Amino acid sequence: MREINEKVFAISGFRLEPVAGLVQPRVFLENLADGVFLCTQYIRHHSTPLYTPEPDVVHEIVGHGVTLASPRLAELNRLFGKAVQRTKSADALERLSRIYWFTIEFGVLREDGAVKAYGTGLLSSAGELGKMHQADLRPLDLDAAGRQDYDPTHFQPVLFCAESFAGMYQTLREYLVNW
Ligand SMILES: [Fe+2]
């Protein structure tokens, strides 16, 4: 983690900070505003290498560590944190958490005629990455994503698909700035 941290920090200014166990969604998201990503440290059980319902160190490094080394994705993470800091009601926080889930965690987009993952949950699950094309791929609509329930314990049946990386970045950025 230290090695990855140095590289990510040099590119986007983000730091991966180890925490023991899961933290509250608000605490996790608000830390993003300051360029801090709170990282779990345990690793998935060796009997289920392709998937884990809870974030483990593979998810944090292969998923979040790699994407936080993208300046644009790092900026979106920061904007999520700032939007959460401005969010008072539990209902609005819930909607924002769902939007984080369907973009940063499980976002997909089209590129060169193919559907590709930019979401950290997909990037860190070889099992789900191979199956994501079978999901109900809906056009990226952030209001709809905010209303969409999800279950973290199995592969996602619904995914929101952007038309391009640039389109996803612009849409999400504007939405978060105006939140
Ligand atoms: Fe995650």
Side-chain angles (χ1 to χ4, degrees):
M1 198 176 284
R2 185 179 304 129
E3 196 182 322
I4 299 212
N5 214 2
E6 283 169 14
K7 292 188 159 72
V8 171
F9 187 76
I11 295 168
S12 71
F14 248 90
R15 284 181 296 127
L16 292 95
E17 273 194 11
V19 282
L22 285 171
V23 293
Q24 290 296 315
R26 179 178 283 280
V27 174
F28 169 78
L29 290 166
E30 282 189 341
N31 268 274
L32 298 174
D34 305 320
V36 175
F37 184 86
L38 298 175
C39 253
T40 55
Q41 298 168 80
Y42 85 98
I43 194 156
R44 65 194 64 186
H45 194 265
H46 59 76
S47 66
T48 58
L50 301 184
Y51 180 77
T52 170
E54 285 180 328
D56 72 342
V57 74
V58 176
H59 169 70
E60 311 290 43
I61 288 177
V62 176
H64 291 284
V66 168
T67 51
L68 288 171
S70 151
R72 283 183 293 180
L73 286 171
E75 184 195 358
L76 292 173
N77 272 272
R78 273 201 176 83
L79 290 173
F80 262 110
K82 288 179 182 153
V84 169
Q85 287 179 337
R86 297 192 300 272
T87 301
K88 300 283 174 258
S89 82
D91 174 67
L93 179 62
E94 180 66 33
R95 279 188 286 129
L96 209 42
S97 300
R98 287 184 186 141
I99 294 167
Y100 188 86
W101 178 267
F102 285 109
T103 56
I104 300 296
E105 296 282 0
F106 283 92
V108 291
L109 52 80
R110 285 179 215 283
E111 190 178 72
D112 302 327
V115 174
K116 299 183 181 180
Y118 68 92
T120 59
L122 295 166
L123 294 174
S124 60
S125 167
E128 192 159 6
L129 206 48
K131 289 276 193 297
M132 68 181 193
H133 300 89
Q134 294 165 18
D136 173 6
L137 296 177
R138 299 183 185 173
L140 182 62
D141 174 338
L142 297 172
D143 286 332
R147 292 188 299 267
Q148 184 70 33
D149 280 327
Y150 63 87
D151 179 350
T153 62
H154 56 65
F155 289 178
Q156 298 305 301
V158 172
L159 296 172
F160 289 88
C161 185
E163 285 309 308
S164 66
F165 188 92
M168 175 281 293
Y169 168 73
Q170 203 182 336
T171 305
L172 188 51
R173 188 180 185 286
E174 244 168 61
Y175 195 89
L176 293 170
V177 167
N178 294 319
W179 179 265

